[in-house]
Amino acid sequence: MKLFLDTGDVEEVKKAAEWGVIDGVTTNPTLIAKSGKGFRETVLKICELVPGGAISAEVVATDYDTMLKEALEIASWHDQIVVKVPLIEPGVRLVSTLTERGIRTNVTLVFTVTQAMLAAKAGATFISNFVGRVDDISGDGMEAVAATVEMVESYGFESEVLVASVRHPQHVVQALAVRAHIATMPFGVIQQLFKHPLTDSGLKRFLDDWNKAGLSIFEGAGVA
Ligand code: G3P
């Protein structure tokens, strides 16, 4: 499964990129607004920090003509950019157009397998299926993800299913279980993935024993 960072914060991207496990970054208008920086400069900086990664940047118009203009502008900034488009009627039309022109798309705000089917048929590169927002209202967000992965695989669509609105590591466990292609998550959730109390106590014991014995990796180094 590919791992994307969901953020508009360049400092977070910088830190996560150093781990070498980030395949891309997703942004949305809320995250970009929160960053306090310009859209283009932020997205270009993220492209630079994650070379070769897929970087999603979203259109904000809701009528087809303006959405198309915005999409072409955003796509012209960098070849790593994937144009993020909401699942509304002009959005699906836009995805069909961009697909014909060879521009990659990430269809966002997808909550059902039938919405996902429309995105897949339009040629979406990624289908962003939101889970946290469904769980927030007592639903099971992962149900639609499972159905969408099954639909994409069994019908042979080329779209990749991207689990979005991830709130905690259990969502990542579930995304792996349903064989989602990608999960995007906030920096804090990726940090949580590292954590296990037995890792911490185990490491402490190894280091205490090592230090008590007065050992050194470099002992004798450089001696012929
Ligand atoms: O970028 C889309 C998505 O991941 C948003 O998450 O936490 O605002 O529901 P959230």
Side-chain angles (χ1 to χ4, degrees):
M1 185 171 75
K2 290 180 202 160
L3 195 56
F4 285 6
L5 181 63
D6 197 27
T7 191
D9 183 332
V10 164
E11 288 309 313
E12 289 184 347
V13 177
K14 203 178 283 174
K15 284 185 210 150
E18 286 173 355
W19 298 326
V21 295
I22 302 298
D23 302 293
V25 177
T26 48
T27 68
N28 64 37
T30 302
L31 293 170
I32 294 292
K34 212 167 116 189
S35 79
K37 304 257 169 59
F39 187 21
R40 187 172 188 269
E41 64 166 303
T42 301
V43 170
L44 286 178
K45 186 71 194 162
I46 293 173
C47 290
E48 187 189 315
L49 291 168
V50 188
I55 312 302
S56 293
E58 189 163 340
V59 297
V60 290
T62 53
D63 68 282
Y64 174 78
D65 290 334
T66 319
M67 287 171 101
L68 178 58
K69 268 189 214 142
E70 290 179 352
L72 296 178
E73 169 65 21
I74 291 170
S76 75
W77 295 342
H78 201 287
D79 60 9
Q80 281 174 239
I81 290 177
V82 179
V83 180
K84 209 169 168 189
V85 181
L87 193 292
I88 54 176
E89 289 180 21
V92 170
R93 180 180 169 199
L94 177 66
V95 172
S96 300
T97 304
L98 296 177
T99 302
E100 271 170 29
R101 297 190 186 198
I103 296 172
R104 294 184 297 163
T105 54
N106 176 354
V107 178
T108 188
L109 293 165
V110 173
F111 293 90
T112 66
V113 68
T114 43
Q115 287 181 313
M117 175 191 67
L118 296 171
K121 287 182 73 70
T125 313
F126 305 138
I127 302 172
S128 280
N129 211 309
F130 282 39
V131 293
R133 294 188 192 190
V134 177
D135 293 1
D136 288 346
I137 54 166
S138 308
D140 181 355
M142 207 53 74
E143 259 176 24
V145 176
T148 299
V149 172
E150 172 66 21
M151 183 259 302
V152 163
E153 297 295 346
S154 58
Y155 286 95
F157 286 114
E158 283 177 15
S159 308
E160 291 185 88
V161 181
L162 190 162
V163 181
S165 188
V166 163
R167 300 279 160 76
H168 46 68
Q170 189 57 27
H171 279 148
V172 184
V173 173
Q174 292 167 344
L176 288 162
V178 301
R179 305 189 64 79
H181 304 96
I182 309 165
T184 190
M185 63 205 74
F187 183 75
V189 175
I190 300 188
Q191 278 188 314
Q192 283 179 287
L193 301 182
F194 285 87
K195 301 288 180 202
H196 196 286
L198 291 177
T199 303
D200 295 341
S201 59
L203 181 62
K204 184 177 178 325
R205 183 159 159 205
F206 285 154
L207 298 185
D208 285 351
D209 290 345
W210 176 268
N211 291 329
K212 252 184 264 162
L215 294 161
S216 163
I217 287 177
F218 301 105
E219 195 178 28
V223 178

